[in-house]
Amino acid sequence: MKLFVENHTQGLAHCPICTHTVPAEIDLRGKYPRVTSGQKCPRCRSALDVAAVVQIPEAA
């Protein structure tokens, strides 16, 4: 069964290499948000595929 992306937004992710919080594109599919694959950290140029999502902007 193929998963479809329900929502695609900008957010913040924690880079595992440089340990900074950097902006990233986030896919919201299912229960858990994930960083869109293929992105690189703007600071250290490492892959953000395994980065933890820190913040997703939502309206109050």
Side-chain angles (χ1 to χ4, degrees), residues 1-6 27-32 34:
M1 184 172 163
K2 186 173 182 174
L3 294 174
F4 294 102
V5 176
E6 295 175 2
D27 285 337
L28 302 173
R29 50 187 143 147
K31 286 184 176 181
Y32 305 106
R34 301 193 193 287

Side-chain angles (χ1 to χ4, degrees), residues 13-20 22-25 34-53:
H14 180 76
C15 177
I17 303 300
C18 67
T19 66
H20 281 85
V22 293
E25 294 180 9
R34 301 193 193 287
V35 176
T36 304
S37 62
Q39 290 190 66
K40 294 194 177 267
C41 175
R43 293 180 49 91
C44 65
R45 296 291 179 214
S46 67
L48 288 177
D49 292 339
V50 297
V53 175

